[in-house]
Amino acid sequence: MILVDTNVLLDVLQDDPKWAAWSQGQLESAALADRLAINAVIYSEMSMAFERIEELEQVVADAKLVVEPIPREALFLAGKVFLDYRRRKASKNGVLPDFYIGAHAAVAKYPVLTRDVGRYRSYFPTVPLITP
C-alpha cells in the first residue's frame, strides 16, 4: 500500500502547470507497483476541490484509491509529534494534517507519495518517501 499525499492528487485534479505531469506519472507508476491509499485527512483536504461529494467519490473510485482508517496509534503519534513541532517552531499554525498523514504512514509502514518532503523527513524519518 502506498499513501498518496493530497498535494499529488490536487496537482493532477487542478492540472498544476509545474507538477501535474510529474504527479500523474508517479501515480501511474505507483499504481503498477502497489495499491494506492488515502485516509480521512487526505479525503477531507481533497474535498476542497469539489462542489459535491459525489464528484469526489467518483474521483476516488476512478483512481482506485483505498480509503484507509487512521489507526489510533497513529492518531496518538500525530499529536505527540505535532506537540514537538510546536515546541521547536513556537508556532501554532495549522499543519496538523501533515502529522496525521506522516503518523499513519509510520505506524502502518506505508511509503508516502508526496512532493512536500520537509516535515516527513524531519518528523517521520523511517517513512519511505516517493518524491521529486
Side-chain angles (χ1 to χ4, degrees):
M1 193 77 65
I2 297 171
L3 198 59
V4 181
D5 199 357
T6 312
N7 56 48
V8 171
L9 296 164
L10 290 179
D11 288 346
V12 174
L13 292 170
Q14 297 174 339
D15 197 22
D16 183 276
K18 182 175 180 181
W19 291 107
W22 181 85
S23 293
Q24 182 65 46
Q26 292 300 310
L27 284 167
E28 291 170 3
S29 294
L32 292 174
D34 211 335
R35 295 175 61 198
L36 304 181
I38 61 174
N39 60 29
V41 172
I42 298 164
Y43 185 96
S44 181
E45 289 180 324
M46 284 179 59
S47 75
M48 293 183 276
F50 298 93
E51 292 295 319
R52 300 174 54 240
I53 190 172
E54 293 84 2
E55 296 167 352
L56 175 53
E57 284 292 316
Q58 190 62 56
V59 166
V60 169
D62 289 348
K64 297 180 176 68
L65 296 169
V66 177
V67 181
E68 285 279 305
I70 302 174
R72 286 185 184 167
E73 296 84 358
L75 296 171
F76 184 84
L77 177 59
K80 293 300 180 190
V81 173
F82 182 64
L83 180 61
D84 182 48
Y85 168 82
R86 282 180 42 190
R87 286 180 178 151
R88 287 186 196 189
K89 303 286 185 184
S91 172
K92 295 183 182 182
N93 293 336
V95 296
L96 186 56
D98 291 344
F99 291 98
Y100 284 125
I101 295 165
H104 184 178
V107 168
K109 297 184 178 11
Y110 294 159
V112 176
L113 173 56
T114 186
R115 58 178 175 75
D116 182 18
V117 300
R119 284 188 207 103
Y120 295 123
R121 283 202 176 125
S122 295
Y123 293 93
F124 303 100
T126 63
V127 172
L129 300 176
I130 304 166
T131 64

